[in-house]
Short mmCIF file of all heavy atoms in Angstrom, two decimals:
data_model
loop_
_atom_site.label_atom_id
_atom_site.label_comp_id
_atom_site.label_asym_id
_atom_site.label_seq_id
_atom_site.Cartn_x
_atom_site.Cartn_y
_atom_site.Cartn_z
N MET A 30 0.82 -1.22 0.00
CA MET A 30 0.00 0.00 0.00
C MET A 30 0.85 1.27 0.00
O MET A 30 0.37 2.32 -0.39
CB MET A 30 -0.94 0.01 1.21
CG MET A 30 -2.03 -1.04 1.14
SD MET A 30 -2.99 -0.97 -0.38
CE MET A 30 -3.64 0.68 -0.30
N ARG A 31 2.10 1.15 0.43
CA ARG A 31 2.96 2.34 0.44
C ARG A 31 3.12 2.86 -0.98
O ARG A 31 3.50 2.13 -1.88
CB ARG A 31 4.32 2.00 1.03
CG ARG A 31 4.24 1.72 2.51
CD ARG A 31 5.62 1.59 3.13
NE ARG A 31 5.48 1.01 4.45
CZ ARG A 31 5.84 -0.23 4.76
NH1 ARG A 31 6.43 -1.00 3.87
NH2 ARG A 31 5.66 -0.69 5.98
N ASN A 32 2.79 4.09 -1.18
CA ASN A 32 2.92 4.76 -2.49
C ASN A 32 2.04 4.16 -3.57
O ASN A 32 2.31 4.35 -4.75
CB ASN A 32 4.38 4.78 -2.95
CG ASN A 32 5.28 5.47 -1.95
OD1 ASN A 32 4.92 6.53 -1.42
ND2 ASN A 32 6.42 4.88 -1.68
N VAL A 33 0.99 3.43 -3.21
CA VAL A 33 0.13 2.80 -4.22
C VAL A 33 -0.55 3.84 -5.10
O VAL A 33 -0.81 3.57 -6.27
CB VAL A 33 -0.90 1.84 -3.58
CG1 VAL A 33 -1.98 2.59 -2.83
CG2 VAL A 33 -1.50 0.91 -4.62
N THR A 34 -0.79 5.02 -4.56
CA THR A 34 -1.44 6.04 -5.37
C THR A 34 -0.48 6.72 -6.33
O THR A 34 -0.89 7.30 -7.32
CB THR A 34 -2.13 7.11 -4.48
OG1 THR A 34 -1.17 7.66 -3.59
CG2 THR A 34 -3.28 6.50 -3.70
N GLU A 35 0.83 6.65 -6.04
CA GLU A 35 1.83 7.27 -6.92
C GLU A 35 2.52 6.28 -7.85
O GLU A 35 3.09 6.65 -8.86
CB GLU A 35 2.92 7.97 -6.10
CG GLU A 35 2.45 9.18 -5.32
CD GLU A 35 1.96 8.82 -3.93
OE1 GLU A 35 2.47 7.85 -3.35
OE2 GLU A 35 1.05 9.50 -3.43
N SER A 36 2.48 5.01 -7.51
CA SER A 36 3.25 4.00 -8.24
C SER A 36 2.33 3.13 -9.10
O SER A 36 1.50 2.39 -8.56
CB SER A 36 4.02 3.12 -7.25
OG SER A 36 4.48 1.96 -7.88
N SER A 37 2.50 3.20 -10.42
CA SER A 37 1.66 2.37 -11.28
C SER A 37 1.97 0.89 -11.06
O SER A 37 1.07 0.05 -11.11
CB SER A 37 1.83 2.74 -12.75
OG SER A 37 3.17 2.53 -13.17
N GLY A 38 3.23 0.56 -10.78
CA GLY A 38 3.58 -0.84 -10.50
C GLY A 38 2.91 -1.34 -9.23
O GLY A 38 2.40 -2.46 -9.18
N GLY A 39 2.87 -0.50 -8.21
CA GLY A 39 2.20 -0.86 -6.96
C GLY A 39 0.71 -1.07 -7.16
O GLY A 39 0.12 -2.01 -6.63
N ARG A 40 0.09 -0.20 -7.96
CA ARG A 40 -1.34 -0.35 -8.27
C ARG A 40 -1.62 -1.67 -8.98
O ARG A 40 -2.58 -2.36 -8.69
CB ARG A 40 -1.84 0.82 -9.12
CG ARG A 40 -2.16 2.05 -8.33
CD ARG A 40 -2.93 3.08 -9.14
NE ARG A 40 -2.22 3.52 -10.34
CZ ARG A 40 -1.27 4.45 -10.36
NH1 ARG A 40 -0.90 5.03 -9.24
NH2 ARG A 40 -0.70 4.79 -11.49
N VAL A 41 -0.76 -2.01 -9.93
CA VAL A 41 -0.95 -3.25 -10.69
C VAL A 41 -0.88 -4.46 -9.77
O VAL A 41 -1.70 -5.37 -9.86
CB VAL A 41 0.10 -3.36 -11.83
CG1 VAL A 41 0.11 -4.76 -12.43
CG2 VAL A 41 -0.16 -2.32 -12.90
N ILE A 42 0.07 -4.46 -8.85
CA ILE A 42 0.21 -5.60 -7.93
C ILE A 42 -1.01 -5.72 -7.03
O ILE A 42 -1.57 -6.81 -6.85
CB ILE A 42 1.50 -5.46 -7.10
CG1 ILE A 42 2.72 -5.68 -8.01
CG2 ILE A 42 1.51 -6.45 -5.93
CD1 ILE A 42 4.04 -5.34 -7.37
N VAL A 43 -1.46 -4.61 -6.45
CA VAL A 43 -2.63 -4.64 -5.56
C VAL A 43 -3.87 -5.07 -6.33
O VAL A 43 -4.63 -5.94 -5.89
CB VAL A 43 -2.83 -3.27 -4.87
CG1 VAL A 43 -4.16 -3.22 -4.13
CG2 VAL A 43 -1.68 -2.99 -3.91
N TYR A 44 -4.07 -4.51 -7.52
CA TYR A 44 -5.22 -4.87 -8.34
C TYR A 44 -5.19 -6.35 -8.71
O TYR A 44 -6.21 -7.05 -8.63
CB TYR A 44 -5.27 -4.00 -9.60
CG TYR A 44 -6.47 -4.25 -10.46
CD1 TYR A 44 -7.74 -3.84 -10.07
CD2 TYR A 44 -6.35 -4.91 -11.68
CE1 TYR A 44 -8.84 -4.07 -10.87
CE2 TYR A 44 -7.45 -5.14 -12.47
CZ TYR A 44 -8.69 -4.72 -12.06
OH TYR A 44 -9.80 -4.96 -12.85
N ALA A 45 -4.02 -6.85 -9.09
CA ALA A 45 -3.90 -8.26 -9.46
C ALA A 45 -4.20 -9.17 -8.28
O ALA A 45 -4.86 -10.20 -8.43
CB ALA A 45 -2.49 -8.54 -10.01
N ALA A 46 -3.73 -8.80 -7.10
CA ALA A 46 -4.00 -9.61 -5.90
C ALA A 46 -5.50 -9.64 -5.60
O ALA A 46 -6.05 -10.70 -5.27
CB ALA A 46 -3.22 -9.06 -4.71
N ILE A 47 -6.16 -8.50 -5.73
CA ILE A 47 -7.61 -8.45 -5.48
C ILE A 47 -8.35 -9.30 -6.51
O ILE A 47 -9.22 -10.10 -6.16
CB ILE A 47 -8.11 -6.99 -5.51
CG1 ILE A 47 -7.55 -6.22 -4.31
CG2 ILE A 47 -9.64 -6.94 -5.52
CD1 ILE A 47 -7.75 -4.72 -4.38
N ARG A 48 -8.03 -9.15 -7.79
CA ARG A 48 -8.70 -9.92 -8.85
C ARG A 48 -8.49 -11.43 -8.66
O ARG A 48 -9.40 -12.23 -8.82
CB ARG A 48 -8.18 -9.51 -10.24
CG ARG A 48 -8.48 -8.07 -10.58
CD ARG A 48 -9.85 -7.78 -11.22
NE ARG A 48 -11.07 -8.08 -10.54
CZ ARG A 48 -11.67 -7.34 -9.59
NH1 ARG A 48 -11.12 -6.25 -9.15
NH2 ARG A 48 -12.82 -7.68 -9.07
N MET A 49 -7.23 -11.80 -8.35
CA MET A 49 -6.92 -13.21 -8.16
C MET A 49 -7.70 -13.78 -6.98
O MET A 49 -8.29 -14.87 -7.08
CB MET A 49 -5.41 -13.39 -7.92
CG MET A 49 -5.01 -14.82 -7.69
SD MET A 49 -3.25 -15.01 -7.40
CE MET A 49 -2.97 -13.87 -6.07
N ALA A 50 -7.72 -13.06 -5.87
CA ALA A 50 -8.45 -13.54 -4.69
C ALA A 50 -9.94 -13.70 -5.01
O ALA A 50 -10.55 -14.71 -4.66
CB ALA A 50 -8.24 -12.58 -3.53
N HIS A 51 -10.52 -12.71 -5.66
CA HIS A 51 -11.94 -12.79 -6.02
C HIS A 51 -12.21 -13.95 -6.96
O HIS A 51 -13.22 -14.65 -6.82
CB HIS A 51 -12.42 -11.48 -6.63
CG HIS A 51 -12.57 -10.38 -5.63
ND1 HIS A 51 -12.75 -9.07 -5.99
CD2 HIS A 51 -12.55 -10.39 -4.27
CE1 HIS A 51 -12.86 -8.32 -4.90
NE2 HIS A 51 -12.72 -9.10 -3.84
N ALA A 52 -11.32 -14.18 -7.92
CA ALA A 52 -11.49 -15.31 -8.85
C ALA A 52 -11.47 -16.64 -8.12
O ALA A 52 -12.11 -17.61 -8.56
CB ALA A 52 -10.41 -15.28 -9.93
N LEU A 53 -10.78 -16.69 -6.98
CA LEU A 53 -10.73 -17.91 -6.17
C LEU A 53 -11.81 -17.94 -5.09
O LEU A 53 -11.83 -18.83 -4.25
CB LEU A 53 -9.34 -18.03 -5.51
CG LEU A 53 -8.19 -18.28 -6.48
CD1 LEU A 53 -6.85 -18.10 -5.78
CD2 LEU A 53 -8.30 -19.68 -7.09
N GLY A 54 -12.70 -16.96 -5.12
CA GLY A 54 -13.81 -16.93 -4.16
C GLY A 54 -13.42 -16.41 -2.78
O GLY A 54 -14.11 -16.71 -1.80
N LYS A 55 -12.35 -15.65 -2.70
CA LYS A 55 -11.87 -15.12 -1.42
C LYS A 55 -12.20 -13.64 -1.30
O LYS A 55 -12.32 -12.93 -2.29
CB LYS A 55 -10.35 -15.27 -1.29
CG LYS A 55 -9.79 -16.59 -1.75
CD LYS A 55 -9.86 -17.64 -0.70
CE LYS A 55 -9.14 -18.90 -1.17
NZ LYS A 55 -9.85 -20.09 -0.79
N LYS A 56 -12.35 -13.16 -0.08
CA LYS A 56 -12.49 -11.74 0.21
C LYS A 56 -11.09 -11.16 0.42
O LYS A 56 -10.14 -11.89 0.69
CB LYS A 56 -13.33 -11.51 1.46
CG LYS A 56 -14.74 -12.01 1.36
CD LYS A 56 -15.58 -11.08 0.54
CE LYS A 56 -17.04 -11.53 0.59
NZ LYS A 56 -17.85 -10.77 -0.31
N VAL A 57 -10.99 -9.82 0.35
CA VAL A 57 -9.69 -9.16 0.46
C VAL A 57 -9.75 -8.02 1.47
O VAL A 57 -10.69 -7.22 1.44
CB VAL A 57 -9.23 -8.59 -0.90
CG1 VAL A 57 -7.88 -7.89 -0.77
CG2 VAL A 57 -9.17 -9.69 -1.95
N ILE A 58 -8.74 -7.96 2.32
CA ILE A 58 -8.52 -6.83 3.23
C ILE A 58 -7.21 -6.18 2.82
O ILE A 58 -6.19 -6.87 2.69
CB ILE A 58 -8.41 -7.27 4.71
CG1 ILE A 58 -9.67 -7.97 5.17
CG2 ILE A 58 -8.08 -6.06 5.59
CD1 ILE A 58 -9.56 -8.59 6.57
N ALA A 59 -7.22 -4.88 2.60
CA ALA A 59 -5.98 -4.14 2.33
C ALA A 59 -5.52 -3.52 3.65
O ALA A 59 -6.27 -2.77 4.28
CB ALA A 59 -6.21 -3.06 1.29
N GLU A 60 -4.32 -3.87 4.06
CA GLU A 60 -3.75 -3.32 5.30
C GLU A 60 -3.02 -2.02 5.01
O GLU A 60 -2.54 -1.80 3.91
CB GLU A 60 -2.73 -4.30 5.89
CG GLU A 60 -3.27 -5.64 6.28
CD GLU A 60 -2.19 -6.56 6.82
OE1 GLU A 60 -1.00 -6.40 6.46
OE2 GLU A 60 -2.54 -7.43 7.61
#
C-alpha cells in the first residue's frame, strides 16, 4: 500500500492480488 497512489507498479500488484483472490472466491482486506 505504500505509495500505491503514486506508483503504477504498486497499483498493478494490488489490483492483481484483489482480482486473483476474487477469482478464487476469497475476500480481500488491504492493510
